[in-house]
């Protein structure tokens, strides 16, 4: 039944320059994963190359996270702050406050 259907997961794409030395982007990845880990079961995440056609199409020039193909984050603080609201808006989590 449709009542039991779970909403889709939140799509998180992490763009880093994968063809550069990992020292250029590993700390960024660590920080972003720290932000998404509490919600990891509710998120579909993928790491993509900043020097790819996808990144060019989105006009990305620096390390960032794209949520659901729309919202761009360049800091883990902003992503961590917004994630609960993004999950609520998509109907993936419901507040009980």
């Amino acid at each position: 039944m449709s009542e039991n259907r779970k909403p889709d997961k939140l799509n998180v794409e992490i763009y880093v320059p994968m063809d550069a030395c990992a020292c250029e982007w590993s700390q960024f990845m660590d920080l972003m994963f720290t932000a998404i880990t509490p919600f990891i079961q509710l998120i579909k995440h993928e790491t993509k190359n900043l020097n790819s056609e996808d990144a060019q199409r989105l006009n990305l020039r620096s390390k960032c996270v794209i949520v659901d193909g729309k919202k761009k984050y360049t800091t883990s603080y902003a992503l961590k702050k917004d994630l609960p609201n993004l999950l609520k808006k998509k109907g993936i989590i419901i507040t009980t406050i």
Side-chain angles (χ1 to χ4, degrees):
M1 297 229 123
S2 62
E3 297 157 6
N4 295 331
R5 185 179 171 270
K6 292 196 176 228
D8 293 331
K9 291 184 174 189
L10 195 65
N11 188 36
V12 173
E13 297 172 330
I14 305 168
Y15 284 90
V16 294
M18 296 174 87
D19 46 2
C21 175
C23 63
E24 295 289 326
W25 49 267
S26 62
Q27 184 179 11
F28 179 82
M29 289 288 292
D30 290 344
L31 291 169
M32 291 303 174
F33 269 96
T34 298
I36 68 172
T37 296
F39 306 101
I40 201 72
Q41 292 182 331
L42 308 172
I43 293 172
K44 177 185 176 270
H45 62 87
E46 188 174 355
T47 304
K48 295 188 172 188
N49 193 343
L50 185 59
N51 300 314
S52 66
E53 289 182 24
D54 286 343
Q56 288 175 3
R57 190 174 55 254
L58 294 169
N59 200 28
L60 303 178
R61 307 252 186 256
S62 61
K63 298 175 290 227
C64 65
V65 172
I66 304 293
V67 177
D68 278 346
K70 301 174 219 157
K71 190 122 171 108
K72 178 180 174 181
Y73 293 90
T74 57
T75 68
S76 59
Y77 175 79
L79 179 62
K80 186 175 184 173
K81 183 177 157 230
D82 283 359
L83 267 176
N85 290 328
L86 294 168
L87 291 163
K88 288 174 200 168
K89 282 182 184 176
K90 195 161 183 176
I92 297 171
I93 60 173
I94 302 167
T95 56
T96 56
I97 298 173

